[in-house]
């Protein structure tokens, strides 16, 4: 039989911003059965089921002085997803992130989040927002002269979370920082710094993690580690909103992407939806044994019925962008008489291509 | 709890920022320790004094020797210009120029000092010490001169007293002489030297041509007694003249005349006797004797007339002597009055000590505190300066640590009001400052001569000053944007407090309008408070007024901090969000 008051304890803890993990530990220590704890925490903390809108921006307008930055942004972020915002440099991605968490006051419009008590404007309930959101800005935000462990403990203390060695160690381990726990943050590598930054943002187990350019200045290997970390965080139930100009990377991890252009979110969709939307062409990649394509290129360009948009050499391959990929394939196969075909593939262009296509419009 | 964590974090960060820790925390401690060692004495060491004297004299040597034998290095220079140049070039701290002919007993002795007032911290001490040393020698000189003057006055007084008796004797003698003169005059005037020839009845002897015996007898019976009476008178007169106070010449003249008359009278008497004895029967002889007698009488008559004339002259002479004596007596009496007045005046001089004459008022400057080293006088100001400078550098630095740290964004993200971070910076700064002041005071107790009992009461004004200056430092931290500008602002503000205080220049030397402002300077108020508590053991209760003023400042500063923090926070978010990596 359920001990009386568990529901109200969980509800109260949720409203006070106590992280689910910390609450779970406390309740288990207090002797509550695991299944009941899990049930209540899941019910209260996961009040917005995955796939339902958790955060909604409507008519957001923001300018700095006479310079308009955002003009009429409408956006929904679904619970449990990784939502990416792409846009050119200076398009207002960071400003939009600041508005979404209520750090910046909009000139017009509102951003609301769904909580257990209903929709709440982020601008009217900053304290609620601060407990629900974690934010990792482009520049890692921690004390360079504190160790990784001290940084985690410090930021945990700001959220009123008891600083326990076990919890700290668990967090450091989750972010692969256990070997650097006593290293001053300034001496960490770029990737470790980013991980520490995200760890600090996750110290209070937020509902939503905001990441602004999480892989900027990182090499591809480290960047991949960070993306893996983001996916892992998301899998553990945290909604992620991120902004980046690395479109190729974003399209690999994001469930949905919003494209910011001309001060507006011009489209929102899954990566595939965006590819289809912005690039009705396909990419035909051809690689031959001799890798000599001059004659083939001439032939392709002489045919108007193949719907060819672009022919471009990429390393040992030849890339053909076409609205009629099947005809292109047939033509290539027929034309290949004196060389060995090593590779032949048809694929959709990347979101990067779609984005570039959009930008060029 | 959060506040404690934040303060702990601030302290850790401060400790790990080694350069800041060295400059901000250890710097003031080292500074005050060195200052303590430097000023823990009461002497002026190695002060060089250039001196120029146009003429060599013993007095110049006295002054130069006195200064060089104390603690000055005296260096002679060939001219006034060279002397002044020595000060300008820094070769000498002061220049001492003796006036021409500078020597004891001469008027116009003057010593001129040339000092470099731009060395404001040293000049007062040098002027003070030199003036004191020269004043000492001058006083010695004055004392010697005064001693000579007083000795002369003493001799005069003793001589006057001695001679006053002589004057009395002189007056008495003069008076006696006057009386003698009067008596002599009366005697001489009463002297009858008339010779009545008719009474001799000489014609009777020749009445018939032949004198009769009866007539002769009649004549002899009349004349002889008269001659005897005259002789007696003449002898008396001679005695009177001898006993008179007439001058010797007059006396001799008078006595000679009287003697002459006496001799003649004796001759007449003798001749008369002879005539009488010889006339026993001889008429012829008698007649001859009578003739001779007649001649003698006539001659005597002439001589008595001459004596009468001389007597008259003597009386006149005595009158003149009397007038002179009267005048002389008046002069003697007048002189006596004058001498008495001098004696009274000398008697009225009560100060007989040369030191008292040379320096009628002695001034002795004594410290009201027991200790006499410069450190005791400087220490309160040093403590306040350390508080001011360190607070105005440390507090904005801690704010800057926070504002310029990348962590500030995450702090802002946390559900902790910004004022808590301000409070943490405030408490951190106060703790560091408090530790510094404690260490300073303990070092002062251990190494210098500050009594331990004064340390705890000193902490009260110390803490209030720390709070005030830390709050001002925090305000600077929120107003300025970079570590460099905030350091500059902190140093500027601290210097402003320093220059507009009584640490470098005494309040009394400032214009009135400025002094009124400077008196309210927290460094002046704080220095005064700590000085009173530390050196004079004044109770804190009696200093409540000044303490309240500084508390008022602190409250105003706290309001200022909240205001500038609020304003600066408005613009911080956009900057934080758009902060990019610079590398």
């Amino acid at each position: 039989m359920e001990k009386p008051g568990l529901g109200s304890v969980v509800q109260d803890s949720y409203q006070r911003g106590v992280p689910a993990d910390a609450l779970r530990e406390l309740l288990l220590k207090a002797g509550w059965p695991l299944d009941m704890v899990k049930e209540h925490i899941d019910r209260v903390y996961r009040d917005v089921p995955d796939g339902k809108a958790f955060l909604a921006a409507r008519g957001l307008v923001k300018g700095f002085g006479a310079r308009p930055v955002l003009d009429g942004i409408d956006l929904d972020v679904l619970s449990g997803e990784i939502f990416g915002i792409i846009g050119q440099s200076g398009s207002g991605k960071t400003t939009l992130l600041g508005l979404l968490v209520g750090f910046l006051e909009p000139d017009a419009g509102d951003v609301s989040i769904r909580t257990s008590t209903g929709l709440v404007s982020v601008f009217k309930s900053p304290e609620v927002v601060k407990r629900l959101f974690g934010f990792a800005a482009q520049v890692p935000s921690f004390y360079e002269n504190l160790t990784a462990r001290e940084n985690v403990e410090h930021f945990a203390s700001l959220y009123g979370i008891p600083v326990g060695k076990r919890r700290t160690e668990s967090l450091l381990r989750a972010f692969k920082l256990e070997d650097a726990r006593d290293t001053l943050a300034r001496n960490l590598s770029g990737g470790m710094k980013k991980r520490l930054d995200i760890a600090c943002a996750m110290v209070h187990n937020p509902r939503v993690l905001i990441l602004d350019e999480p892989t900027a200045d990182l090499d591809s290997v480290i960047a991949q580690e960070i993306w893996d970390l983001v996916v892992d965080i998301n899998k553990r139930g945290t909604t992620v909103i991120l902004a980046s100009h690395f479109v190729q990377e974003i399209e690999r991890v994001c469930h949905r992407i919003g494209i910011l252009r001309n001060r507006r979110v011009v489209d929102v969709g899954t990566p595939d939806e965006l590819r289809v939307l912005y690039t009705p062409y396909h990419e035909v990649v051809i690689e031959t044994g001799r890798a000599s394509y001059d004659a083939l290129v001439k032939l392709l360009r002489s045919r108007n019925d193949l719907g060819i948009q672009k022919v471009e050499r990429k390393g040992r391959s030849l890339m053909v962008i076409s609205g009629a990929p099947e005809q292109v394939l047939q033509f290539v196969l027929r034309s290949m008489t004196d060389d060995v075909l090593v590779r032949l593939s048809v694929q959709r262009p990347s979101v990067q291509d779609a984005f570039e296509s959009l930008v060029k419009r | 709890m959060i506040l404690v964590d934040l303060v702990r974090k601030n302290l850790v960060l401060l400790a790990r920022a080694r350069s800041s820790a060295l400059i901000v925390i250890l710097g003031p401690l080292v500074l005050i320790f060195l200052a303590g060692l430097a000023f823990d004495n009461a002497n002026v060491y190695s002060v060089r004094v250039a001196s120029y004297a146009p003429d060599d004299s013993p007095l110049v040597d006295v002054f130069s020797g006195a200064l060089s034998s104390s603690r000055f290095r005296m260096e002679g220079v060939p001219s006034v210009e060279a002397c002044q140049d020595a000060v300008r070039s820094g070769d000498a701290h002061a220049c001492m120029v003796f006036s021409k002919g500078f020597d004891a007993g001469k008027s116009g002795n003057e010593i001129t000092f040339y000092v470099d007032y731009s060395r404001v911290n040293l000049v007062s001490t040098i002027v003070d010490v030199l003036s004191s040393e020269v004043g000492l020698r001058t006083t010695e000189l004055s004392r010697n001169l005064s001693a000579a003057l007083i000795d002369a006055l003493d001799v005069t007084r003793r001589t006057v007293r001695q001679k006053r008796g002589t004057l009395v004797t002189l007056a008495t003698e003069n008076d006696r002489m006057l009386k003698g003169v009067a008596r002599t005059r009366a005697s001489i005037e009463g002297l009858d030297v008339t010779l009545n020839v008719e009474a001799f009845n000489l014609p009777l002897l020749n009445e018939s041509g032949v004198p009769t015996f009866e007539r002769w007898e009649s004549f002899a019976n009349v004349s002889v007694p008269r001659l005897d009476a005259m002789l007696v008178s003449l002898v008396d007169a001679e005695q009177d003249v001898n006993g008179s106070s007439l001058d010797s010449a007059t006396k001799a003249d008078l006595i000679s005349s009287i003697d002459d008359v006496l001799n003649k009278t004796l001759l007449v008497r003798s001749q008369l006797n002879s005539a009488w004895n010889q006339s026993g029967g001889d008429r012829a002889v008698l007649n001859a004797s009578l003739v001779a007698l007649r001649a003698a009488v006539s001659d005597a008559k002439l001589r008595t007339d001459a004596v009468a004339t001389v007597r008259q002259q003597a009386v006149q002479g005595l009158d003149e002597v009397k007038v002179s004596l009267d005048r002389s007596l008046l002069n003697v009496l007048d002189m006596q009055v004058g001498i008495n007045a001098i004696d009274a005046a000398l008697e009225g001089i009560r100060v007989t000590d040369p030191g008292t004459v040379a320096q009628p008022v002695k001034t002795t400057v004594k410290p009201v505190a027991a200790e006499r080293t410069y450190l005791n006088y400087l220490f309160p100001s040093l403590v306040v300066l350390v508080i001011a400078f360190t607070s105005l550098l440390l507090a904005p630095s801690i704010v800057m640590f926070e504002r310029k740290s990348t962590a500030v964004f995450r702090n802002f993200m946390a559900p902790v009001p910004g004022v808590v971070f301000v409070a943490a910076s405030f408490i951190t700064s106060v703790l560091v400052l408090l530790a510094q002041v404690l260490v300073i005071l303990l070092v002062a107790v251990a190494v210098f001569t500050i009594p331990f009992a004064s340390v705890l009461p000193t902490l009260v004004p110390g803490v209030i000053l720390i709070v005030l200056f830390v709050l001002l430092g925090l305000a600077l931290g929120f107003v300025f944007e970079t570590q460099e500008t905030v350091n500059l602002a902190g140093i500027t503000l601290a210097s402003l407090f320093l220059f507009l205080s009584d640490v470098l220049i005494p309040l009394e030397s400032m214009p009135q309008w400025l002094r009124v402002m400077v008196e309210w300077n927290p460094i002046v108020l704080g220095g005064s408070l700590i000085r009173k508590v530390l050196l004079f053991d004044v109770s804190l209760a009696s200093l409540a007024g000044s303490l309240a003023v500084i508390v008022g400042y602190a409250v105003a500063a706290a309001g200022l901090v909240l205001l500038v923090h609020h304003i600066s926070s408005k613009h911080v978010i956009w900057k934080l969000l758009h902060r990019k990596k610079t590398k």
Side-chain angles (χ1 to χ4, degrees):
Chain A
M1 184 173 172
E2 180 183 328
K3 288 187 180 178
L6 179 58
S8 61
V9 168
V10 174
Q11 186 69 36
D12 184 54
S13 301
Y14 174 77
Q15 287 177 345
R16 286 192 291 111
V18 178
D21 288 352
L23 181 61
R24 186 179 295 111
E25 282 183 32
L26 285 172
L27 293 174
L28 290 175
K29 273 186 184 174
W32 294 97
L34 176 63
D35 55 339
M36 289 174 62
V37 169
K38 190 171 182 306
E39 181 190 337
H40 278 275
I41 287 180
D42 284 349
R43 191 169 67 228
V44 174
Y45 277 71
R46 311 294 290 176
D47 57 330
V48 182
D50 286 353
K52 301 289 181 186
F54 171 72
L55 180 147
R58 295 288 179 268
L60 281 179
V61 176
K62 180 67 181 175
F64 295 105
R67 185 171 68 91
V69 177
L70 299 172
D71 185 15
I73 299 289
D74 291 321
L75 193 68
D76 286 326
V77 176
L78 308 180
S79 180
E81 72 173 344
I82 302 177
F83 185 85
I85 299 170
I86 59 173
Q88 286 181 283
S89 292
S91 59
K93 298 187 293 294
T94 303
T95 302
L96 177 56
L97 293 180
L99 287 168
L100 291 181
V101 293
F103 293 166
L104 296 175
E105 284 279 345
D107 299 330
D110 195 11
V111 177
S112 55
I113 52 172
R114 188 176 299 279
T115 69
S116 58
T117 55
L119 283 175
V120 173
S121 169
V122 298
F123 306 111
K124 291 175 183 169
S125 306
E127 295 309 308
V128 172
V129 170
K130 284 179 174 180
R131 291 186 181 280
L132 290 177
F133 285 84
F135 203 124
Q138 183 176 347
V139 176
S141 181
F142 45 69
Y143 290 103
E144 297 269 342
N145 279 335
L146 292 183
T147 64
R149 179 180 54 79
E150 287 168 341
N151 267 301
V152 168
E153 288 175 352
H154 164 69
F155 291 113
S157 74
L158 294 185
Y159 288 90
I161 299 166
V163 181
K165 190 177 177 184
R166 218 179 76 186
R167 177 172 168 72
T168 305
E169 289 298 319
S170 161
L171 201 61
L172 290 172
R173 205 177 307 114
F175 287 86
K176 297 179 183 173
L177 289 167
E178 64 269 32
D179 293 335
R181 64 168 70 78
D182 294 321
T183 305
L184 290 181
R186 65 164 182 248
N187 295 331
L188 296 175
S189 68
M192 292 171 99
K193 281 183 179 176
K194 197 68 204 177
R195 287 207 299 273
L196 176 61
D197 186 41
I198 297 173
C200 292
M202 290 296 294
V203 76
H204 59 298
N205 197 17
R207 294 287 307 281
V208 181
L209 174 64
I210 311 282
L211 299 169
D212 188 8
E213 301 286 0
T215 57
D217 303 318
L218 298 178
D219 62 52
S220 58
V221 176
I222 302 293
Q224 188 54 52
E225 284 181 16
I226 297 301
W227 291 125
D228 292 344
L229 184 64
V230 169
V231 170
D232 188 48
I233 289 169
N234 176 253
K235 282 180 178 170
R236 280 186 276 163
T238 303
T239 303
V240 178
I241 302 173
L242 59 89
S244 176
H245 61 273
F246 294 108
V247 183
Q248 285 176 325
E249 293 173 352
I250 275 194
E251 72 174 306
R252 283 206 297 271
V253 297
C254 289
H255 300 125
R256 293 195 307 141
I257 296 171
I259 298 176
L260 195 58
R261 178 173 160 76
N262 294 332
R263 302 185 294 278
R264 290 172 176 271
V265 175
V266 291
D267 266 306
V268 176
T270 64
D272 284 339
E273 287 170 346
L274 291 178
R275 281 187 209 111
V276 171
L277 187 62
Y278 288 101
T279 60
Y281 306 103
H282 283 74
E283 220 176 64
V284 180
V285 179
I286 306 152
E287 185 179 341
T288 62
R290 290 207 298 269
S292 174
Y293 305 112
D294 292 345
L296 182 61
V297 168
K298 262 185 190 174
L299 287 170
L300 286 169
R301 284 183 174 161
S302 66
R303 293 287 299 270
N304 293 328
D305 59 330
L306 298 180
I308 292 174
Q309 300 294 313
K310 184 179 178 184
V311 179
E312 188 181 37
R313 178 153 185 168
K314 280 191 173 178
R316 287 184 59 81
S317 305
L318 184 71
M319 185 182 70
V320 180
I321 307 292
S322 168
E326 294 84 2
Q327 284 86 335
V328 172
L329 279 174
Q330 287 174 5
F331 180 78
V332 169
L333 289 170
R334 280 200 303 271
S335 305
M336 292 298 294
T337 54
D338 57 345
D339 201 351
V340 179
L341 194 62
V342 176
R343 178 183 163 207
L344 184 63
S345 66
V346 177
Q347 61 188 36
R348 281 278 186 187
S350 66
V351 176
Q352 173 79 30
D353 296 322
F355 180 63
E356 287 175 2
S357 168
L358 176 66
V359 170
K360 286 174 184 170
R361 286 182 188 177
Chain B
M1 187 61 187
I2 287 177
L3 206 53
V4 174
D5 289 337
L6 287 175
V7 170
R8 189 170 52 209
K9 178 264 300 176
N10 284 342
L11 291 173
V12 169
L13 287 175
L14 200 60
R16 286 181 183 163
R18 292 186 185 87
S19 56
S20 303
L22 279 174
I23 293 169
V24 177
I25 300 171
L26 293 180
L29 295 178
V30 173
L31 177 75
I32 204 153
F33 185 73
L34 292 177
L37 288 179
F39 289 104
D40 194 20
N41 66 77
N43 297 320
V44 179
Y45 292 113
S46 304
V47 171
R48 296 183 298 279
V49 179
S51 73
Y52 168 68
D55 307 304
D56 285 335
S57 73
L59 193 59
V60 169
D61 294 339
V62 165
F63 277 98
S64 300
L67 289 176
S68 59
S69 66
S70 47
R71 53 205 169 198
F72 298 99
R73 275 168 47 195
M74 303 297 293
E75 293 171 8
V77 290
S79 66
V80 177
E81 290 73 23
C83 199
Q84 292 170 340
D85 286 344
V87 176
R88 287 192 195 101
S89 65
D91 294 337
H93 297 95
C95 160
M96 184 180 183
V97 175
F98 294 92
S99 61
K100 191 166 176 57
F102 188 92
D103 202 358
K106 291 190 176 177
S107 61
N109 285 341
E110 188 180 0
I111 301 174
T112 307
F113 287 105
Y114 294 94
V115 290
D116 181 6
Y117 271 92
S118 66
R119 304 187 67 175
V120 66
N121 55 344
L122 186 63
V123 72
S124 298
T125 308
I126 291 177
V127 168
D128 182 45
V129 175
L130 281 177
S131 301
S132 164
E133 198 65 50
V134 170
L136 204 63
R137 301 300 153 197
T138 306
T139 304
E140 280 180 16
L141 206 61
S142 297
R143 188 180 291 121
N144 293 339
L145 293 172
S146 301
L149 192 64
I150 285 173
D151 285 348
L153 280 175
D154 195 44
V155 169
T156 304
R157 180 164 48 195
R158 277 190 274 111
T159 307
V160 163
R161 283 184 181 170
Q162 285 173 356
K163 298 303 176 188
R164 194 164 56 177
T166 306
L167 273 178
V168 172
T169 307
L170 194 61
T172 308
E173 189 65 26
N174 208 325
D175 188 49
R176 197 178 62 75
M177 282 169 66
L178 268 174
K179 287 175 181 168
V181 165
R183 194 168 56 245
T184 304
R185 185 181 182 282
S187 299
I188 289 173
E189 199 170 33
L191 185 64
D192 186 4
V193 291
T194 55
L195 185 62
N196 188 357
V197 176
E198 297 302 321
F200 284 97
N201 205 10
L202 287 175
L204 183 65
L205 293 175
N206 287 326
E207 221 171 46
S208 60
V210 180
T212 65
F213 183 77
E214 292 79 15
R215 285 180 183 166
W216 166 254
E217 193 175 21
S218 167
F219 168 73
N221 287 339
V222 172
S223 299
V224 169
R226 289 199 177 185
L227 281 172
D228 287 340
M230 187 175 172
L231 283 169
V232 169
S233 293
L234 283 171
V235 169
D236 287 345
E238 198 172 55
Q239 285 176 347
D240 284 345
V241 168
N242 269 330
S244 76
S245 58
L246 289 170
D247 59 283
S248 54
T250 308
K251 274 184 183 176
D253 206 15
L254 273 171
I255 287 170
S256 172
S257 299
I258 293 169
D259 280 349
D260 205 12
V261 172
L262 192 65
N263 290 335
K264 290 298 179 188
T265 307
L266 283 171
L267 182 61
V268 169
R269 177 78 167 76
S270 166
Q271 284 178 344
L272 193 59
N273 281 340
S274 176
W276 177 259
N277 292 334
Q278 289 174 0
S279 63
D282 192 349
R283 285 186 186 248
V285 173
L286 184 60
N287 283 340
S289 297
L290 285 174
V291 170
L293 181 63
R294 191 186 296 152
V297 167
S298 297
D299 190 33
K301 172 73 167 97
L302 288 173
R303 291 183 182 274
T304 55
D305 287 347
V307 167
T309 304
V310 171
R311 184 196 64 184
Q312 192 58 42
Q313 287 174 343
V315 167
Q316 285 176 350
L318 286 171
D319 286 343
E320 287 172 4
V321 168
K322 184 177 180 301
V323 169
S324 293
L325 283 172
D326 282 343
R327 198 180 297 126
S328 174
L329 185 61
L330 283 174
N331 286 338
V332 168
L333 291 173
D334 189 38
M335 190 182 290
Q336 207 168 15
V337 169
I339 291 288
N340 284 341
I342 290 170
D343 188 42
L346 290 173
E347 190 64 30
I349 298 173
R350 297 292 173 203
V351 182
T352 55
D353 174 31
T356 310
V357 175
Q359 196 179 9
V361 177
K362 286 183 182 174
T363 53
T364 306
V365 180
K366 290 184 176 178
V368 288
E371 296 78 19
R372 289 179 59 91
T373 71
Y374 293 127
L375 177 66
N376 293 122
Y377 309 129
L378 284 175
F379 192 75
S381 298
L382 279 176
V383 171
V384 177
L385 285 182
V386 166
I387 289 173
F389 272 85
T390 311
S391 301
L392 290 174
L393 288 174
L394 177 69
S397 293
I398 289 177
V399 172
M400 275 296 153
F401 281 166
E402 202 66 57
R403 289 183 66 194
K404 293 301 166 187
S405 164
T406 55
V408 67
F409 176 72
R410 198 157 305 294
N411 288 336
F412 178 79
M413 284 280 302
V416 177
V419 72
V420 175
F421 291 94
V422 178
S425 298
F426 169 76
I427 292 170
T428 307
S429 304
V430 168
L431 286 177
V432 172
L433 262 297
L434 202 55
Q436 279 196 340
V437 170
L438 259 178
V439 170
I440 287 170
L441 290 175
L442 292 177
V443 166
V445 168
V447 181
F448 312 122
T449 51
I450 306 293
F452 183 76
S454 303
V455 169
L456 285 179
T458 306
L459 283 178
V460 175
V463 168
I464 297 174
L465 282 170
I466 287 171
V467 168
L468 169 63
F469 283 109
V470 163
L471 286 169
L472 289 176
L474 291 179
L476 289 181
F478 289 115
V479 168
F480 292 93
E481 289 296 324
T482 65
Q483 185 71 50
E484 291 78 11
T485 52
V486 86
N487 282 349
L488 194 62
I491 290 171
T492 304
L493 186 59
S495 302
L496 199 65
F497 279 126
L498 170 64
F499 291 130
L500 291 180
S501 74
D502 58 350
V503 176
L504 296 179
I505 303 168
L507 284 181
E508 291 70 18
S509 64
M510 295 179 184
Q512 178 66 27
W513 64 269
L514 186 60
R515 195 189 313 166
V516 170
M517 288 169 57
V518 169
E519 281 171 353
W520 296 95
N521 182 338
I523 284 189
V524 175
L525 289 171
S528 170
L529 281 171
I530 292 180
R531 188 174 294 112
K532 286 173 183 171
V533 173
L534 197 63
L535 298 183
F536 309 137
D537 296 327
V538 176
S539 72
L540 288 171
S542 61
L543 302 173
S546 296
L547 286 169
V549 171
I550 302 178
V551 169
Y553 285 161
V555 170
L560 180 68
V561 169
L562 293 177
L563 179 68
V564 293
H565 171 256
H566 177 71
I567 292 170
S568 69
S569 299
K570 279 190 169 180
H571 305 286
V572 74
I573 308 306
W574 189 86
K575 289 178 187 171
L576 294 174
L577 283 171
H578 290 79
R579 186 185 281 175
K580 305 288 184 194
K581 276 191 175 177
T582 51
K583 61 182 181 180

